[in-house]
Amino acid sequence: MSDDRSKAPLAVFDLDNTLADTAHRQRFLERRPRDWDGFFAAAPQDPPVPEGIALVREQARECEIVYLTGRPERCRRDTLDWLAAQELPAGRVYMRRDADRRPARFTKLEILRRLARTREIRVLVDDDELVCEDARRAGFTVVRADWVTRSAEMKVAQEREGRT
């Protein structure tokens, strides 16, 4: 690949349960009310998901990497530090605005469409079934990250509560 990454296709990766295993912090979502501060505060301790890590490194050989997460913007420093600690390829990180509670399938598809206006998107890798379905329907190539089992609480958080 040439050194001009601005012309390379994009490979877009989700974080939670795609690259980062959130199993240890899903307990914060089992409480009522859900403890979102605790859930996000524990993110720096997420172990990497080997399948996702291998795929992002493989895609980085031909693509510019973009990270697209439903995590709120207030988690940016922890997220950047986690990506660096895993020695993952550098890439832009798109995060949810702190007050944005729309389901991930809406926020992520909006960003994908914006990115696709000026660049080829080679692949989206995400664990959320609804994000994947909507992205496929919109014409994107999708790899469903099914290598980590999401709790029922995480599924609700991603698909209905617009929190991750």
Side-chain angles (χ1 to χ4, degrees), residues 3 28 43-44 58 79 81 88 111 129 147 154:
D3 288 343
F28 293 105
E58 176 187 321
T79 299
D81 290 348
L88 290 174
I111 292 168
E129 296 167 38
W147 36 79
M154 181 63 131

Side-chain angles (χ1 to χ4, degrees), residues 8-122:
L10 302 177
V12 181
F13 282 82
D14 173 46
L15 295 178
D16 292 340
N17 293 324
T18 299
L19 299 177
D21 187 343
T22 67
H24 73 100
R25 58 186 168 109
Q26 290 183 26
R27 62 190 161 90
F28 293 105
L29 303 182
E30 295 166 2
R31 301 175 184 164
R32 297 295 177 262
R34 296 186 201 280
D35 180 1
W36 290 106
D37 289 337
F39 178 78
F40 289 119
Q45 286 76 49
D46 288 354
V49 178
E51 298 89 341
I53 299 298
L55 189 55
V56 75
R57 288 183 176 141
E58 176 187 321
Q59 288 295 317
R61 289 189 289 235
E62 295 184 8
C63 297
E64 178 182 339
I65 301 300
V66 170
Y67 301 99
L68 175 57
T69 180
R71 292 178 186 185
E73 184 64 41
R74 71 180 180 275
C75 298
R76 180 170 291 277
R77 175 53 29 214
D78 285 344
T79 299
L80 295 175
D81 290 348
W82 187 90
L83 290 166
Q86 308 315 310
E87 299 179 354
L88 290 174
R92 289 174 286 166
V93 178
Y94 291 88
M95 303 182 84
R96 176 191 302 275
R97 290 185 321 274
D98 286 334
D100 189 345
R101 297 289 187 269
R102 293 175 297 156
R105 65 186 218 203
F106 299 127
T107 60
K108 288 183 176 183
L109 195 57
E110 180 180 288
I111 292 168
L112 283 171
R113 285 183 169 137
R114 189 172 358 133
L115 292 170
R117 285 186 208 136
T118 59
R119 298 284 288 281
E120 172 196 348
I121 296 180
R122 172 84 44 94

